[in-house]
Amino acid sequence: MASTSVSRVVPASPQQVWNLIGGFDALPDWLPYIPESTALEGGRVRRLTNPDGDVIVERLVDFDEAERHYSYAILEAPFPVDGYVSTLRVHVVPGRDDVAEVQWSGRFNPQGATEQEVVDLFTGIYADGLDALHKTLAARAA
């Protein structure tokens, strides 16, 4: 099983960050790669559409409001993986209440691609996503 993880410090308190990203159906609020999300099965499943019209279906597998993290599994996607589980987590930065660290990590089995290709793919998705989150939060703070 392959894995990757990306972290960024963003310009908002952990609670402000969680208020933006903590909803399982909230990706369009901060992630340009996902302009559309539809909640299904009482919010436990989300059907996402990317700008190319590709559909990604994900199931919430763990959610912890107090610890500010959730994990999800991909049920359907145009990615060369199976067994994909990812976690989005907001961390406190010790001694700071005006910033937070956000970590996006995932593990998966490559299918039809090398491990390095798939690690590079998701590392890029996570990094671009956290860069977009930083930009959204910086704009809100301005």
Side-chain angles (χ1 to χ4, degrees):
M1 181 163 275
S3 64
T4 188
S5 181
V6 176
S7 295
R8 292 277 186 279
V9 173
V10 296
S13 73
Q15 190 59 50
Q16 289 170 317
V17 176
W18 183 247
N19 290 346
L20 177 61
I21 72 172
F24 189 55
D25 197 36
L27 289 179
D29 296 341
W30 61 273
L31 188 62
Y33 179 71
I34 303 295
E36 184 181 328
S37 177
T38 304
L40 306 168
E41 296 185 23
R44 302 285 298 172
V45 172
R46 62 186 178 194
R47 182 183 186 277
L48 311 170
T49 306
N50 71 16
D52 296 331
D54 295 324
V55 172
I56 303 162
V57 179
E58 299 171 337
R59 175 177 296 282
L60 185 65
V61 295
D62 183 47
F63 183 89
D64 190 321
E65 181 79 28
E67 296 292 322
R68 298 187 190 104
H69 66 82
Y70 69 80
S71 299
Y72 61 94
I74 288 181
L75 304 179
E76 174 189 334
F79 304 128
V81 296
D82 71 4
Y84 177 100
V85 176
S86 183
T87 299
L88 196 56
R89 181 181 305 270
V90 179
H91 296 281
V92 170
V93 175
R96 300 282 304 267
D97 59 6
D98 60 332
V99 298
E101 181 184 7
V102 180
Q103 179 185 30
W104 198 349
S105 60
R107 61 185 193 279
F108 36 81
N109 296 309
Q111 295 293 314
T114 68
E115 181 172 312
Q116 191 60 54
E117 288 170 334
V118 179
V119 165
D120 290 348
L121 170 69
F122 286 108
T123 300
I125 288 171
Y126 300 165
D128 290 349
L130 294 180
D131 288 347
L133 174 61
H134 188 284
K135 185 177 177 181
T136 297
L137 290 166
R140 289 181 176 199

